[in-house]
């Protein structure tokens, strides 16, 4: 298994999709994983360590894991089939020993980031689906600036009536651009 980190989340307006860019910790390969808008928001919240007043779905999963006296050891993206990634949550606990729980990569990443556990990609997955940074810059739409990302997330939070998150994002935008 190859250790990776979440390098960034990119939004591509041309096809209205979000991509989580996983980067090898030792090496130059990148694994782009397309995720939905809600999943991208959950991962972004984890990256920025923003706390919500009530537990969101990924927080609930963490509470359940802890409630069963278990801990998340790592997450692994271990398979790709027909362009779809598969992943597992690797758990250890007093009651159940070691467990692998099937998960969507987007959910696994959001949980891993919240708990600060290692993220791994299988060697075959990396060989089949990775690209280099040069491929990313040559073949893709340029990633939006941090301000554009925040403005997009602000609009989504307001649309979803998630006003607490919207207020935090608004404050971050004001910090980046005090003139507005």
């Amino acid at each position: 298994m190859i250790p990776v980190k979440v390098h960034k989340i990119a939004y591509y307006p041309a096809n209205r999709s979000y991509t989580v860019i996983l980067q090898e910790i030792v090496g130059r390969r990148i694994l782009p994983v397309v995720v939905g808008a809600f999943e991208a928001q959950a991962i972004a919240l984890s990256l920025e360590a923003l706390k919500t007043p009530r537990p969101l779905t990924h927080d609930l999963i963490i509470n359940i894991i802890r409630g069963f006296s278990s801990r998340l050891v790592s997450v692994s993206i271990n398979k790709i089939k027909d362009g779809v990634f598969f992943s597992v949550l690797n758990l250890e606990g007093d009651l159940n020993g070691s467990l692998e729980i099937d998960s969507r990569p987007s959910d696994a990443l959001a949980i891993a980031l919240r708990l600060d556990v290692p993220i791994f990609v299988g060697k075959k997955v990396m060989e089949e689906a990775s690209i280099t940074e040069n491929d990313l810059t040559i073949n893709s739409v340029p990633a939006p600036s941090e301000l554009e990302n925040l403005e997009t997330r602000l609009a989504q939070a307001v649309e979803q009536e998630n006003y607490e998150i919207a207020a935090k994002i608004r404050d971050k935008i004001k910090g980046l651009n005090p003139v507005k």
Side-chain angles (χ1 to χ4, degrees), residues 28-46:
R28 300 183 52 93
R29 293 180 294 182
I30 292 173
L31 184 70
V33 179
V34 177
V35 300
F38 294 116
E39 292 81 1
Q41 182 180 23
I43 293 167
L45 286 172
S46 298

Side-chain angles (χ1 to χ4, degrees), residues 12 131-142:
Y12 297 97
I131 59 175
T132 65
E133 281 191 56
N134 290 340
D135 294 334
L136 186 63
T137 56
I138 293 169
N139 296 325
S140 66
V141 176

Side-chain angles (χ1 to χ4, degrees), residues 3-18:
V4 297
K5 64 181 179 179
V6 176
H7 178 63
K8 66 180 175 180
I9 300 173
Y11 175 67
Y12 297 97
N15 57 1
R16 295 185 191 176
S17 69
Y18 291 86

Side-chain angles (χ1 to χ4, degrees), residues 54 62 109 113 132 138 161:
R54 298 289 300 140
I62 291 167
L109 293 171
L113 290 168
T132 65
I138 293 169
E161 298 181 9

Side-chain angles (χ1 to χ4, degrees), residues 48-152:
E48 296 173 17
L50 290 175
K51 301 293 182 199
T52 58
R54 298 289 300 140
L56 299 176
T57 304
H58 299 103
D59 303 315
L60 173 64
I61 292 168
I62 291 167
N63 291 340
I64 291 169
I65 291 169
R66 289 178 175 158
F68 283 104
S69 299
S70 294
R71 68 181 186 94
L72 184 65
V73 177
S74 65
V75 302
S76 305
I77 299 175
N78 57 358
K79 181 176 156 184
I80 184 170
K81 183 177 180 183
D82 299 326
V84 177
F85 292 103
F86 292 80
S87 65
V88 293
L89 303 173
N90 300 300
L91 300 172
E92 285 185 2
D94 296 335
L95 300 174
N96 297 317
S98 296
L99 293 171
E100 286 188 352
I101 307 294
D102 184 33
S103 173
R104 297 182 309 172
S106 57
D107 294 326
L109 293 171
I111 294 167
L113 290 168
R114 280 173 166 75
L115 291 175
D116 194 29
V117 300
I119 302 166
F120 296 100
V121 174
K123 289 181 182 180
K124 287 184 180 180
V125 173
M126 191 63 89
E127 288 168 6
E128 184 176 333
S130 69
I131 59 175
T132 65
E133 281 191 56
N134 290 340
D135 294 334
L136 186 63
T137 56
I138 293 169
N139 296 325
S140 66
V141 176
S145 69
E146 181 180 3
L147 180 60
E148 289 169 325
N149 277 330
L150 288 170
E151 288 172 343
T152 299

